[in-house]
Amino acid sequence: MIFSVAIVTISDKGAAGIREDQSGKIIYTLIEKLAWNIVGYEIVPDETEKIQKQIFRFCDMKQAQLLLTTGGTGPSPKDMTPEATASLIERPMPGISEMLRMEGYRKNPMAILSRGVSGIRGKTLIINLPGNPKAVEEGLMLLLQILPHALEKIAGDETDCG
């Protein structure tokens, strides 16, 4: 099945054009390899309203089935991605973010500092990934095991999960 995907990179320096968006490009490249439909890709500064605007746009207007964010999930005062995302999520899916942190921790103990959240808005699954390119790549490899099933269920597939 082909899914529609949107990508939002949260980075003040990336949005200002003074840093290349490596993590967003990693996501983009992987989604292209899967032959899924990319309905949008944006780089926004780490500002709550701008993050929310993109989440709303991709979920409610573009109707992406999957929205992956990267960046802004750390403990710094400026990192607002989890708060911006949580304010728009209708049904939390904490197990996804817990898995990303747990598996990430096995490779790098700093992964536990990620505050990323995951959940559903309408028929869109939203997942916050960290900003570190290596963590994004490793996280995506984990997510590929569950994403098709999760996206089919969110879209309304009523077949048994067992």
Side-chain angles (χ1 to χ4, degrees), residues 19 25 39 58 67 69 96-97 103 114 155:
R19 177 188 290 160
K25 288 180 181 179
V39 297
F58 287 134
L67 172 60
T69 72
I96 293 172
S97 296
E103 292 299 321
S114 174

Side-chain angles (χ1 to χ4, degrees), residues 72-143:
T73 63
S76 298
K78 185 77 173 145
D79 292 331
M80 297 305 297
T81 303
E83 288 77 13
T85 304
S87 71
L88 297 173
I89 284 176
E90 296 164 346
R91 296 187 298 148
M93 293 201 62
I96 293 172
S97 296
E98 291 166 5
M99 173 195 68
L100 291 169
R101 276 186 285 275
M102 179 184 70
E103 292 299 321
Y105 177 79
R106 293 173 200 241
K107 295 179 180 177
N108 179 354
M110 296 303 162
I112 205 73
L113 298 177
S114 174
R115 300 178 314 107
V117 298
S118 302
I120 301 166
R121 176 176 178 83
K123 293 200 176 228
T124 305
L125 175 59
I126 305 168
I127 302 172
N128 295 156
L129 294 167
N132 178 285
K134 185 171 177 152
V136 167
E137 190 169 0
E138 291 170 353
L140 285 171
M141 292 302 110
L142 290 168
L143 289 170

Side-chain angles (χ1 to χ4, degrees), residues 19-64:
R19 177 188 290 160
E20 181 184 357
D21 176 24
Q22 294 179 9
S23 295
K25 288 180 181 179
I26 288 169
I27 298 170
Y28 198 100
T29 300
L30 178 67
I31 298 303
E32 275 189 325
K33 285 180 183 175
L34 294 171
W36 293 358
N37 183 27
I38 298 172
V39 297
Y41 165 58
E42 296 290 336
I43 303 172
V44 299
D46 205 336
E47 299 172 20
T48 302
E49 288 181 16
K50 291 183 179 181
I51 298 167
Q52 290 170 325
K53 180 180 176 183
Q54 288 305 320
I55 292 172
F56 177 81
R57 180 173 156 246
F58 287 134
C59 293
D60 295 32
M61 299 171 80
K62 296 269 189 171
Q63 298 185 352

